[in-house]
Amino acid sequence: MFTVVSKDLKILSIKKFKTPSFIERLSINKIVKQSLSDHLQTTRQFTEYNFPLRSSKYFDSLYGDFIDTSFKIFGDLKVSGRNNRTCWCYRSSKDNPRGSVFHHHEHTATINAVYYLDIPKGDSISFMKNHHSLTYYPEQYEILIFPGTLLHRPDVPVSKKIRQSVNLELKVDASSHHVFKKLNEIRY
């Protein structure tokens, strides 16, 4: 079901987590474009690299699959009343590398995930906790699942092709430490 990218940092990977059909992909591209347009019209900041995605059949299903997978991995979780199902898109390229800073989702997510809609070969994500760091090179349609408290950043792109990833957050009524401690009990 999943592979462990880093036991110390508590990073999990599922390759080909959700692979859209050709027709779905056309719809996804349209939704991303519309979401970006909505965002640019409603915000005073020019942040075309990070914006909320419109609710849609594909992204709602992606989020549902993420929740189901989290329950399968971590057991019965109580979703917090503060949970927000909004998916966020991160877009970048070598020509537009803004926003590549270490950050966490501690206040909005217990379990965080990044799903790679488009990831040019050679593009990466970095993680850091205390003095331990890791650079990982994801594949298209892969999902990485990790604690909301873990510092991470999309690294500066190496390609002129557009990189698009989707951030998914799940806030539960337990700490990231408590939830991810369950990985120690799983044999993999």
Side-chain angles (χ1 to χ4, degrees):
M1 176 185 191
F2 65 85
T3 57
V4 177
V5 172
S6 171
K7 193 173 184 178
D8 293 336
L9 297 176
K10 311 271 191 261
I11 304 167
L12 310 177
S13 164
I14 302 173
K15 307 261 188 205
K16 308 248 184 268
F17 180 71
K18 188 171 184 70
T19 304
S21 69
F22 176 76
I23 298 298
E24 286 176 314
R25 191 56 211 237
L26 293 175
S27 175
I28 290 165
N29 292 346
K30 183 177 178 181
I31 291 161
V32 169
K33 187 176 179 180
Q34 289 171 335
S35 298
L36 175 57
S37 177
D38 292 348
H39 178 68
L40 292 175
Q41 289 176 18
T42 60
T43 184
R44 293 173 194 242
Q45 297 176 337
F46 185 71
T47 56
E48 70 178 58
Y49 61 88
N50 193 27
F51 54 92
L53 291 165
R54 284 181 173 186
S55 180
S56 69
K57 184 178 177 182
Y58 187 82
F59 290 116
D60 292 348
S61 174
L62 175 68
Y63 190 84
D65 291 348
F66 163 59
I67 287 181
D68 291 346
T69 300
S70 296
F71 274 66
K72 286 176 188 170
I73 294 170
F74 301 108
D76 194 21
L77 302 167
K78 185 170 189 274
V79 177
S80 169
R82 296 181 303 149
N83 187 56
N84 185 338
R85 297 177 63 97
T86 302
C87 299
W88 284 75
C89 183
Y90 175 82
R91 287 172 49 106
S92 63
S93 68
K94 188 176 184 176
D95 295 334
N96 187 12
R98 291 183 271 167
S100 185
V101 296
F102 276 107
H103 64 282
H104 59 71
H105 299 261
E106 182 174 2
H107 302 292
T108 55
T110 309
I111 303 168
N112 199 72
V114 180
Y115 169 75
Y116 290 90
L117 198 52
D118 295 301
I119 183 79
K121 188 174 177 79
D123 278 4
S124 59
I125 182 172
S126 289
F127 298 91
M128 183 172 53
K129 181 178 179 184
N130 300 325
H131 299 293
H132 188 138
S133 64
L134 171 77
T135 298
Y136 184 77
Y137 297 86
E139 298 174 11
Q140 187 174 31
Y141 308 129
E142 179 176 4
I143 193 169
L144 297 177
I145 300 172
F146 50 91
T149 55
L150 183 61
L151 287 170
H152 61 284
R153 74 167 182 215
D155 293 325
V156 175
V158 297
S159 174
K160 289 187 177 201
K161 292 181 180 176
I162 298 287
R163 165 195 189 143
Q164 295 186 119
S165 58
V166 178
N167 183 66
L168 305 150
E169 300 180 337
L170 177 56
K171 186 77 168 168
V172 301
D173 289 338
S175 69
S176 288
H177 175 75
H178 178 77
V179 170
F180 280 83
K181 191 166 74 171
K182 293 180 182 179
L183 289 181
N184 298 334
E185 302 163 9
I186 300 171
R187 292 185 178 255
Y188 36 83

